[in-house]
Amino acid sequence: MSCKLIFSWVQRQAKMFFFCIMLFVAHLKRTLVLSLILSEEKVTVYFINRDGRKITTSSAKGDSLLDLVVEQNLDIEGFGACEGTLACSTCHVILDQKVYNQLGPITDEENDMLDLAFGLTDTSRLGCQVCLSRDLEGITVRVPDRVNDMRRSDDTGPTL
Amino acid sequence: CPGLSHVNVQVDIYERLPVPFGLVRFGVAPDHPEVKNVINTFTQTAQHARCSFHGNVRVGKDVTVEELQEAYHAVVLSYGAEGNRTMGVPGEDLAGVYSAKDFVGWYNGLPRNSELRPDLSCETAVILGQGNVALDVARILLSPVDILKKTDITQHALDALAESSVRRVLIVGRRGPLQVACTIKELREMVNLPGTRPEMEASEFEGIAETLKSLARPRKRLTELLLKAAIETPGEEELERRNRAERAWGFRFLRKPLEVLPSTDLIRAAGIRLAVNRLEGDGEGVRAVATGEVEDVECGLVISSIGYKSLLIDPAVPFDARKAIIPNTMGRVQQTAGLYCSGWVKRGPTGVIATTMNDSFDTARTLLQDIGKGTLDVSTVKPGSQGVSALLEKRGVKPVSFSDWEKIDSEETRRGEIKGKPREKMLDVGEMLQVARA
């Protein structure tokens, strides 16, 4: 265990060193710099949009699913209105059971906002709270439909 | 959308105030700045080459809806709900009685509420209604000023709250604990509000714990939190915290306002008379029925938070006075080609920002569908904002553009920075126009 810790510490120091070097090379485009440092750290994610279409994307390790959607400018209507601050439920996504189980515990604050999401499932999360790691390589993320008419007839809803 | 690739839609936005964003600016509580992040998305849209903002234009007065329809292929009414439902009880006009709409407008800098000067010299405030707006009002009344002073709350509200004598806020609803309309985030904020403790009657929660297992997740979590705050015996730390708290809040259920009781000089509110209800039916059909019993509560501040209401904007627009919405089918205004509506004026005044945003997307889709099908004729050339500008100029009305708003925005931000606030909102339309024209 401690060998792994030391090794990852060394890895991190090396990465920081390289990152500092890159900062001095300021004329390089941001994306080029990042992809040089992090090219082994990209995680591939498949989105299934509301219209059923599959979108293949990849993003840097550590990015949230919302970061990914924003960076890649994915065409998902109304996604991430509060910009990842746990003040809405528009980044609601549905994961596979196995992936859902892999993720850490959900905070009260995230659960509170998930309560407002339309079509909440047992494997729902807010995309802004799901951070990509190598373990999540190749996952499929489904973007569910939203409420689009009439007040909620099930007793789940906020009135204001 | 099929067949629309050749259509480049130009969208012009007309707004009565010189400043955009409506309730996101004037309704969302000052201590909820993240909820206002959606302004960034709105700003991006407003800055689109084919979108223009025209503030300081009163539709229905400076330009009629008919004139807009002559100038544009389609007109979308999304002017929300600026009225409020009244309690309709004697004493509602006494000093010390306010609608939540006006009270919120006061602390959020809505120009028409800048002179409200609510009297906060009493100990107890009663709020009618148990939705998120009611909880916002309770929270602003009881929040430590040290927290509020870092928000974009207006300075005059901050000063008044710093001098406030209000120590107890009752949030009163007609029905029971299972019918509260607020959401869990706002309830949790009350439970965690520094310097305050919950004070509720255990008897009002009889039988509630037994229903938990049959409730849907959101209602279940909300009710669990409510029960915890209301009747659970707190641990040692929490007990100590509550004993030290100088301010208290609580829900009261099954109470409906009958009359606001006047002070001896008959000028201001001194109390409120409430009818005691019981519940009949179950599930969705639960109704509050009067028992005949009556209860008086001493208080000097009464805030009714029982709902907003849309108003008629122009006599030429169909309006359902009973439901207080524009009669429509999927956003198409009935019997009026080329006229659409979205948001609260279409569906009624409920729903969070995301709900209303989705509804707007739906109306937009309907409109695009109509263009695609040919139901909305876009073949003729229409003058658009040029036509309207000519009318406005003749009438001495000078619109405020989005970049004019950005000058107001910069100035408000600059003034706020001096005080450690995100912005200091201008309260006077005249001042806004001055800065916009500078």
Side-chain angles (χ1 to χ4, degrees):
Chain A
M1 191 56 204
S2 60
C3 250
K4 272 198 191 164
L5 279 175
I6 293 168
F7 181 65
S8 64
W9 179 84
V10 169
Q11 262 193 322
R12 261 181 280 133
Q13 297 310 307
K15 276 179 208 161
M16 268 167 41
F17 177 67
F18 277 112
F19 185 66
C20 288
I21 298 249
M22 289 306 174
L23 281 178
F24 286 118
V25 193
H27 67 279
L28 283 177
K29 277 178 145 192
R30 177 180 171 270
T31 48
L32 177 58
V33 171
L34 279 181
S35 57
L36 279 176
I37 300 170
L38 301 167
S39 53
E40 333 91 58
E41 311 281 10
K42 284 222 174 237
V43 178
T44 304
V45 175
Y46 303 101
F47 278 88
I48 306 209
N49 208 344
R50 293 185 187 112
D51 57 6
R53 271 193 266 201
K54 188 166 174 181
I55 308 171
T56 306
T57 83
S58 73
S59 197
K61 196 180 77 161
D63 273 358
S64 71
L65 289 176
L66 174 58
D67 291 331
L68 195 165
V69 169
V70 169
E71 270 164 38
Q72 305 288 322
N73 209 10
L74 301 187
D75 186 22
I76 306 178
E77 204 172 68
F79 201 84
C82 78
E83 301 181 359
T85 54
L86 286 176
C88 76
S89 57
T90 61
C91 67
H92 173 210
V93 292
I94 300 175
L95 308 169
D96 294 329
Q97 185 70 60
K98 239 183 46 174
V99 175
Y100 179 83
N101 293 345
Q102 266 178 273
L103 299 173
I106 309 179
T107 60
D108 278 343
E109 287 70 31
E110 184 183 344
N111 271 324
D112 287 354
M113 297 322 293
L114 273 171
D115 280 359
L116 307 188
F118 182 72
L120 187 66
T121 69
D122 290 334
T123 59
S124 285
R125 291 295 302 261
L126 292 182
C128 65
Q129 303 301 301
V130 177
C131 285
L132 296 174
S133 63
R134 221 175 295 150
D135 295 336
L136 299 181
E137 166 63 34
I139 63 168
T140 300
V141 175
R142 194 155 67 81
V143 183
D145 278 327
R146 306 152 301 171
V147 184
N148 55 10
D149 60 350
M150 68 190 132
R151 279 187 222 186
R152 294 167 180 280
S153 51
D154 56 325
D155 183 30
T156 57
T159 56
L160 176 59
Chain B
C1 284
L4 284 179
S5 52
H6 64 289
V7 176
N8 266 343
V9 182
Q10 166 76 31
V11 180
D12 295 339
I13 301 173
Y14 290 91
E15 154 65 47
R16 185 179 55 214
L17 287 172
V19 299
F21 310 135
L23 281 182
V24 177
R25 175 181 166 100
F26 295 116
V28 175
D31 56 350
H32 287 168
E34 332 74 30
V35 177
K36 302 191 203 194
N37 280 346
V38 75
I39 283 178
N40 298 332
T41 310
F42 294 164
T43 298
Q44 263 184 10
T45 305
Q47 290 171 336
H48 191 285
R50 284 185 274 109
C51 183
S52 69
F53 172 79
H54 305 259
N56 195 40
V57 177
R58 297 170 301 173
V59 173
K61 290 205 176 66
D62 298 329
V63 59
T64 66
V65 171
E66 265 172 345
E67 286 168 337
L68 286 177
Q69 287 198 276
E70 277 165 40
Y72 291 91
H73 295 105
V75 174
V76 181
L77 298 168
S78 54
Y79 62 84
E82 65 174 40
N84 63 278
R85 290 179 61 205
T86 54
M87 290 188 282
V89 303
E92 194 156 8
D93 296 321
L94 289 169
V97 183
Y98 309 98
S99 66
K101 169 185 86 72
D102 287 341
F103 194 79
V104 171
W106 169 73
Y107 66 63
N108 269 342
L110 188 60
R112 69 172 50 180
N113 296 131
S114 56
E115 306 298 305
L116 197 74
R117 277 186 271 269
D119 184 352
L120 306 178
S121 61
C122 56
E123 192 192 286
T124 302
V126 167
I127 303 174
L128 287 321
Q130 297 175 327
N132 283 344
V133 179
L135 263 65
D136 277 353
V137 171
R139 194 177 70 253
I140 296 297
L141 279 172
L142 295 176
S143 279
V145 168
D146 280 342
I147 293 179
L148 293 178
K149 73 181 185 203
K150 301 192 198 117
T151 71
D152 65 6
I153 194 169
T154 53
Q155 193 59 41
H156 63 193
L158 194 58
D159 293 340
L161 289 165
E163 301 293 305
S164 164
S165 307
V166 175
R167 293 288 174 269
R168 199 162 140 257
V169 175
L170 302 178
I171 308 166
V172 177
R174 287 175 302 124
R175 295 182 296 174
L178 293 175
Q179 286 78 42
V180 287
C182 63
T183 51
I184 191 171
K185 173 171 180 272
E186 283 71 15
L187 177 60
R188 203 182 290 285
E189 285 170 339
M190 288 308 298
V191 170
N192 294 336
L193 192 58
T196 71
R197 65 177 181 280
E199 257 179 21
M200 288 183 258
E201 307 279 332
S203 58
E204 296 192 31
F205 295 88
E206 254 163 56
I208 298 298
E210 288 70 30
T211 67
L212 283 176
K213 50 187 179 312
S214 62
L215 299 174
R217 174 191 141 142
R219 178 61 67 183
K220 177 161 181 276
R221 291 183 75 243
L222 177 63
T223 310
E224 274 170 352
L225 182 60
L226 184 51
L227 282 172
K228 182 153 176 252
I231 61 178
E232 209 182 80
T233 317
E236 211 179 290
E237 210 183 296
E238 170 66 7
L239 188 59
E240 224 185 271
R241 191 196 72 81
R242 289 188 189 182
N243 287 336
R244 276 182 282 126
E246 292 187 348
R247 298 175 169 189
W249 63 277
F251 287 108
R252 290 288 181 277
F253 298 101
L254 302 170
R255 302 287 185 274
K256 178 183 122 134
L258 286 176
E259 185 183 341
V260 179
L261 305 169
S263 52
T264 32
D265 60 9
L266 302 179
I267 297 177
R268 77 199 107 252
I272 187 162
R273 178 156 293 162
L274 303 166
V276 178
N277 288 336
R278 63 182 164 78
L279 292 182
E280 259 182 20
D282 51 24
E284 282 293 303
V286 168
R287 275 176 6 261
V289 166
T291 58
E293 256 183 79
V294 148
E295 195 180 278
D296 287 354
V297 175
E298 197 178 315
C299 61
L301 183 62
V302 175
I303 300 183
S304 71
S305 182
I306 57 177
Y308 288 69
K309 203 166 75 165
S310 290
L311 306 177
L312 181 65
I313 193 175
D314 185 306
V317 175
F319 193 74
D320 182 333
R322 193 180 62 85
K323 293 194 208 158
I325 56 170
I326 296 178
N328 71 93
T329 313
M330 308 227 317
R332 295 180 184 97
V333 176
Q334 278 175 16
Q335 290 147 1
T336 322
L339 197 59
Y340 298 80
C341 57
S342 78
W344 282 8
V345 80
K346 166 186 169 193
R347 301 175 44 206
T350 61
V352 295
I353 291 177
T355 323
T356 306
M357 183 180 74
N358 288 335
D359 182 71
S360 295
F361 292 157
D362 287 344
T363 293
R365 247 190 296 275
T366 298
L367 201 159
L368 289 173
Q369 256 175 41
D370 288 355
I371 296 179
K373 285 191 294 191
T375 344
L376 185 62
D377 180 15
V378 297
S379 57
T380 56
V381 171
K382 293 265 197 169
S385 64
Q386 281 189 331
V388 177
S389 297
L391 286 172
L392 294 175
E393 208 183 309
K394 247 196 318 183
R395 294 163 189 175
V397 177
K398 294 220 287 241
V400 170
S401 70
F402 202 76
S403 48
D404 291 335
W405 144 248
E406 284 168 338
K407 291 186 218 158
I408 299 173
D409 186 20
S410 294
E411 179 54 19
E412 288 186 342
T413 308
R414 188 195 70 81
R415 293 181 190 181
E417 236 169 301
I418 301 169
K419 300 185 197 159
K421 297 163 85 175
R423 74 176 58 239
E424 185 61 55
K425 290 177 188 168
M426 283 177 220
L427 305 179
D428 179 63
V429 171
E431 190 182 8
M432 290 177 188
L433 292 175
Q434 241 183 346
V435 171
R437 316 268 182 237

